[in-house]
Amino acid sequence: MTISRLAQGQSDYTRHKQEGLKSLLHINMRIVKPCLSRYWKPGMPKLSYFHFDLNAGSGYNEEEKIIGSPLVFLQTATAEQINYRAFFCDISRESCESLIGRVSHNEGAYVFWGDNRSFVEMIPEIIKLKPKTEECSRGENPRLAMGSVYVDPNGPSGLMVDELATLFKTCERLDLIINLSATGLKRTKSFSWSMRVSELMEKINKKKWVVRQIYGAWQWTISVSYTHLRAHETVLD
């Protein structure tokens, strides 16, 4: 498979995108971390923040000379001192091999090579797996698992809206972070349908969203759902 410039997501928006992702992950982890402590009980394994990156890439943007989303997550989790299990998926074997070299020293990081639609369907079963870093006999309950799913598709057709909607019916407490072009979402002709960002949110069926201010001619933005955000709380970005 040929890896083009677009496949790595390289553009003048990349640096802005990674800074936005870092900011949103910090916020989400600070919301989820007290919840993990509150639900933990003596005798239980330490609860994890689960993170699933569906378009992980190699972990480094050679053209822009900046780290990719997997390393943004790992650095943020380390800074927040949160227990995590992170799963990075990409369809490019070459990218996955490069990423393994960059994250192999992290016991809570896992790399999957393959189709991300199939990967999304596997997420509930992945959560059930026994973590290699804990002395326990089983994993966690998918319905109670907390964390984030990050989607940064090469185009609107890679959003996997139906698959994500199905996932969140089971994994209700995972939050969704989407990087997308609002203009591309409305204009694309490869979809069997087109939609606005608001319609996308409704289809995913998450109740609370934060949308970053649009950036550039293609109206790039990052949207994040906040399952654990209380009614009286606000998020500043």
Side-chain angles (χ1 to χ4, degrees):
M1 180 179 186
T2 301
I3 307 300
S4 66
R5 185 172 184 268
L6 178 61
Q8 182 68 13
Q10 298 174 4
S11 68
D12 60 351
Y13 172 63
T14 302
R15 194 174 299 275
H16 178 83
K17 173 181 68 175
Q18 303 299 41
E19 286 300 317
L21 175 62
K22 179 181 177 181
S23 175
L24 290 169
L25 285 171
H26 271 296
I27 293 168
N28 206 43
M29 289 178 187
R30 289 171 187 176
I31 294 171
V32 170
K33 190 174 181 180
C35 298
L36 295 176
S37 299
R38 187 162 63 247
Y39 293 132
W40 180 84
K41 295 179 181 179
M44 290 176 58
K46 185 182 293 185
L47 297 178
S48 299
Y49 181 107
F50 286 89
H51 180 71
F52 301 91
D53 188 332
L54 307 187
N55 310 89
S58 67
Y60 190 78
N61 187 313
E62 296 289 350
E63 184 162 321
E64 301 292 333
K65 304 300 181 187
I66 59 173
I67 60 174
S69 57
L71 299 191
V72 170
F73 173 83
L74 294 173
Q75 288 186 3
T76 306
T78 299
E80 292 294 337
Q81 298 182 326
I82 193 168
N83 188 53
Y84 67 85
R85 292 171 66 190
F87 303 85
F88 306 110
C89 178
D90 200 90
I91 198 169
S92 165
R93 180 170 182 170
E94 181 181 358
S95 293
C96 286
E97 289 174 346
S98 297
L99 182 57
I100 288 171
R102 294 186 171 104
V103 306
S104 59
H105 60 287
N106 295 87
E107 290 188 334
Y110 305 79
V111 178
F112 287 77
W113 167 44
D115 175 66
N116 54 11
R117 291 179 187 271
S118 299
F119 179 69
V120 168
E121 295 173 357
M122 293 167 55
I123 287 177
E125 296 303 315
I126 290 173
I127 293 171
K128 294 178 185 178
L129 294 176
K130 175 183 177 296
K132 61 184 179 182
T133 56
E134 292 281 345
E135 292 295 330
C136 59
S137 59
R138 56 183 173 80
E140 295 186 29
N141 185 337
R143 292 194 177 278
L144 302 179
M146 291 175 273
S148 49
V149 178
Y150 180 52
V151 186
D152 182 19
N154 294 328
S157 60
L159 278 174
M160 303 175 288
V161 177
D162 292 334
E163 290 84 351
L164 289 170
T166 299
L167 170 67
F168 292 122
K169 288 178 181 177
T170 300
C171 302
E172 301 172 352
R173 299 189 181 190
L174 292 180
D175 287 315
L176 176 63
I177 303 173
I178 309 177
N179 180 64
L180 52 79
S181 163
T183 300
L185 187 62
K186 290 181 286 187
R187 291 182 180 178
T188 184
K189 296 180 180 179
S190 60
F191 261 167
S192 58
W193 42 263
S194 61
M195 61 170 64
R196 296 182 181 274
V197 174
S198 59
E199 295 170 324
L200 170 65
M201 293 175 176
E202 183 178 353
K203 194 172 180 69
I204 296 294
N205 195 31
K206 287 286 189 178
K207 304 302 182 184
K208 300 169 186 172
W209 291 83
V210 171
V211 182
R212 296 191 83 223
Q213 185 174 356
I214 60 173
Y215 179 87
W218 278 82
Q219 297 183 310
W220 288 99
T221 187
I222 294 182
S223 303
V224 57
S225 67
Y226 283 107
T227 304
H228 309 282
L229 189 67
R230 296 172 183 171
H232 65 277
E233 294 175 324
T234 58
V235 175
L236 301 178
D237 181 27

